[in-house]
Amino acid sequence: MNIFEYAVKNKIRFPFKGMITTEDLWDLTVEHLDSIFKTLNSQSKQAKEESLLNTKTKEDKELDIKIEIVKYIVNEKLEEQKARLQAKEKKEQKQKIMEVLAAKQNEALQNKSPEELMKMLKEMGE
């Protein structure tokens, strides 16, 4: 079963300013998600320390799923940030190229003789 399907079916809640739903996690910043992860990770370590047996309870499974969900969402958000940054850099590079191209076209135009410029104007219908 998919971790998100499990979370929805079992109405999993996460500790953040009270309790929030799985859907609410998507609205949080990476820093807030990291805070939730630390809380869950601490709970997980406590649960493992308290047991002498290596049997997983429903609560242990749910805690593991919560941690996986938070990790997944953080990774998705970081990938989205990376993609936005790459798109911004690409746009800035394209703008620089366009500016240089315009400058080169102006330079080529300025290097034309008056006769060539007059001929160009006549061809344009001026």
Side-chain angles (χ1 to χ4, degrees):
M1 179 182 306
N2 176 308
I3 56 176
F4 290 100
E5 183 180 347
Y6 181 90
V8 172
K9 282 185 175 182
N10 292 285
K11 296 178 177 68
I12 289 184
R13 301 294 180 256
F14 295 81
F16 182 75
K17 296 183 181 178
M19 297 302 270
I20 62 172
T21 65
T22 305
E23 307 89 80
D24 293 331
L25 294 175
W26 291 98
D27 297 330
L28 300 179
T29 64
V30 175
E31 292 76 18
H32 287 136
L33 290 166
D34 188 49
S35 171
I36 293 171
F37 171 78
K38 288 176 182 175
T39 301
L40 294 172
N41 203 32
S42 174
Q43 290 174 2
S44 177
K45 287 178 182 177
Q46 274 184 332
K48 288 176 183 164
E49 287 175 5
E50 292 175 0
S51 176
L52 294 173
L53 304 175
N54 200 16
T55 57
K56 280 196 175 249
T57 65
K58 182 179 187 272
E59 290 78 20
D60 293 337
K61 179 182 178 181
E62 191 170 292
L63 193 54
D64 290 343
I65 287 176
K66 286 179 179 181
I67 290 170
E68 289 306 310
I69 288 171
V70 172
K71 282 182 182 178
Y72 178 88
I73 293 172
V74 166
N75 287 333
E76 284 293 309
K77 286 183 166 278
L78 291 175
E79 285 297 317
E80 289 170 5
Q81 285 176 353
K82 182 179 174 184
R84 280 193 301 275
L85 180 61
Q86 288 174 340
K88 180 182 176 215
E89 289 171 352
K90 186 177 179 180
K91 182 179 176 184
E92 289 171 356
Q93 183 66 19
K94 185 177 179 181
Q95 184 62 36
K96 285 180 189 177
I97 292 170
M98 295 296 287
E99 289 170 6
V100 170
L101 179 60
K104 294 224 180 252
Q105 287 172 334
N106 284 338
E107 182 182 317
L109 195 57
Q110 288 176 351
N111 289 335
K112 294 203 180 283
S113 69
E115 293 80 22
E116 289 174 308
L117 291 170
M118 290 299 289
K119 182 181 175 188
M120 289 173 68
L121 282 174
K122 283 182 185 176
E123 288 173 357
M124 293 179 161
E126 295 291 319

